[in-house]
Amino acid sequence: MMMLKGFHSCVSGTASGSPHISLTPAAVTPHFTPAMANAGLQLLGYTLAFLGLLGLVASTAMAEWKMSSYAGDNIITAQAMYEGLWRSCVYQSTGQMQCKVYDSLLQLPGEVQAARGFMITSIFLCGIGLLVAAVGMKCTTCLSDEKEQKNKVAVAGGVLFIIAGVCALVATSWYGENIRKKFFDPFTPTNSRYEFGKALYVGWGASALTLIGGIMLCCNCAGKPAGKSYPPPRAAGRPGTDHV
């Protein structure tokens, strides 16, 4: 009974004007800000560019830039010939493969020399772009006190990705166009015709990933830089209403 009376007095005291104590916990709702979305898109673009770099390295090292064609009736299918940027290979029907590295650089066709230069340039620019973009991304602590400068660094990394993707796209497209011309040339012997190899498709996919990653970085960082936020000015009180 004494406990009930004490509880009743406490409730009555609260109702009589004393401060009300709420026992309901305040719901804490997380806020999804645009900065978080931009950081996520930056990370996605960086990941795509990194996958593009892996594809560029794989495409450059592969020997299947073009493969012997089986179109026609007089094609000998006992062996398949592959040619890449660095070596040529012959795959026998018995499962054996023999590869030979090109002896002279000057004796190579022009499209092979150009593809070498463009692919190496693309890999180099993409690698530098990864380092630069890592400094300017919002999920890193580098240049955290200089938001505007950090955005500019991220844009520079995105531009490097775009240039690298364009270089790889030029190399693979030029090489593929030469294969197409020689394939449909009526003066090309049937047993000397080649088709697109696996390395070309890998290079096209890698260049697309690199381009998309660079565009995402540039689009997310090219907006207005986040300026300093100042507190709103206090409203001036009416004269004579100031309390001491």
Side-chain angles (χ1 to χ4, degrees):
M1 295 295 294
M2 295 296 293
M3 294 177 63
L4 292 176
K5 289 181 180 180
F7 179 75
H8 177 70
S9 63
C10 181
V11 173
S12 61
T14 303
S16 63
S18 61
H20 177 70
I21 300 175
S22 177
L23 300 179
T24 305
V28 180
T29 56
H31 297 283
F32 188 75
T33 60
M36 297 172 60
N38 290 336
L41 291 177
Q42 279 186 353
L43 184 60
L44 178 59
Y46 188 87
T47 304
L48 293 178
F50 177 74
L51 294 177
L53 175 61
L54 297 180
L56 292 176
V57 174
S59 176
T60 306
M62 292 173 65
E64 295 88 353
W65 276 66
K66 64 179 180 180
M67 55 182 297
S68 55
S69 175
Y70 296 102
D73 300 331
N74 299 325
I75 299 299
I76 301 175
T77 58
Q79 62 182 12
M81 300 181 62
Y82 301 94
E83 291 187 9
L85 301 181
W86 313 98
R87 65 188 184 275
S88 60
C89 299
V90 178
Y91 183 80
Q92 304 291 339
S93 59
T94 57
Q96 298 178 352
M97 177 179 288
Q98 298 178 351
C99 296
K100 180 182 178 182
V101 180
Y102 297 136
D103 298 328
S104 176
L105 175 64
L106 299 178
Q107 294 180 354
L108 294 176
E111 64 269 15
V112 176
Q113 298 182 18
R116 279 186 177 184
F118 277 114
M119 293 301 292
I120 293 176
T121 303
S122 176
I123 293 173
F124 177 76
L125 291 178
C126 193
I128 297 298
L130 288 176
L131 299 177
V132 174
V135 176
M137 291 177 62
K138 295 181 180 179
C139 58
T140 60
T141 58
C142 299
L143 299 176
S144 58
D145 297 334
E146 301 178 2
K147 301 296 183 181
E148 184 176 355
Q149 190 69 21
K150 191 176 182 67
N151 288 336
K152 291 181 180 180
V153 173
V155 170
V159 171
L160 289 176
F161 288 149
I162 293 176
I163 297 175
V166 170
C167 290
L169 188 62
V170 169
T172 51
S173 299
W174 188 2
Y175 196 95
E177 178 63 18
N178 281 276
I179 295 175
R180 188 197 66 82
K181 285 183 178 180
K182 293 180 181 179
F183 183 86
F184 291 105
D185 188 0
F187 298 101
T188 302
T190 306
N191 56 358
S192 299
R193 294 179 179 178
Y194 289 87
E195 295 182 359
F196 297 156
K198 299 177 182 179
L200 283 181
Y201 297 104
V202 174
W204 283 325
S207 60
L209 290 177
T210 308
L211 283 172
I212 294 174
I215 292 173
M216 292 181 67
L217 279 176
C218 290
C219 290
N220 284 281
C221 301
K224 295 182 179 180
K228 296 182 179 179
S229 59
Y230 298 95
R234 296 181 180 180
R238 295 180 180 179
T241 59
D242 296 338
H243 298 279
V244 180

